[in-house]
Amino acid sequence: METFKTAFYWLSYAYYLYVFGYASLFKVFQKKSMMDSMMSLGFNKTWTILIGLGELTGVILIVAGLIKPQFRNMGILLLIPFSVGAFTAHMAHQEYQHYYNSLIVCILTVVMLALDNNFKIQL
């Protein structure tokens, strides 16, 4: 069971990096399709780039987490508002083609933090 948890964690980690990696770079480098999509959601060019930079910061922290695990958790925590925001925006605008990635990333955020031995929440 421990092997399954470890494998699931690292597969989730890779998927998380994939989704946020391309989304952040498309925003920062202003790919036309991403800019048009963000414009349809009500975000102008400045906000789109700022969102992309925030996501890119989270991605960099997650990659740095390969060396220092606490950076991985900081990156995941930084990306929570972006994943929830994307889920909410895509649902509100009925963009179901983007709905699944944002839903999966929201779920994986909680799962990855729960499976990480370096992350604890005490109540």
Side-chain angles (χ1 to χ4, degrees), residues 104-119:
I104 291 168
V105 169
C106 285
I107 293 168
L108 288 181
T109 298
V110 176
V111 171
M112 287 171 46
L113 290 174
L115 291 177
D116 195 324
N117 295 331
N118 298 305
F119 185 79

Side-chain angles (χ1 to χ4, degrees), residues 77-105:
L77 291 171
L78 176 68
L79 291 173
I80 288 173
F82 295 105
S83 62
V84 172
F87 176 73
T88 305
H90 292 309
M91 285 301 293
H93 289 88
Q94 298 176 352
E95 294 182 338
Y96 299 116
Q97 70 272 18
H98 302 295
Y99 160 81
Y100 293 107
N101 277 342
S102 57
L103 174 63
I104 291 168
V105 169

Side-chain angles (χ1 to χ4, degrees), residues 21-61:
Y22 83 79
S24 65
L25 292 175
F26 283 4
K27 290 176 184 106
V28 171
F29 292 119
Q30 302 173 33
K31 184 174 180 190
K32 179 152 178 47
S33 61
M34 180 63 80
M35 298 305 283
D36 292 342
S37 177
M38 292 296 285
M39 185 68 73
S40 73
L41 295 174
F43 296 103
N44 63 18
K45 180 179 176 181
T46 303
W47 277 108
T48 300
I49 292 170
L50 288 173
I51 291 168
L53 289 172
E55 291 175 343
L56 187 58
T57 302
V59 168
I60 290 168
L61 286 170

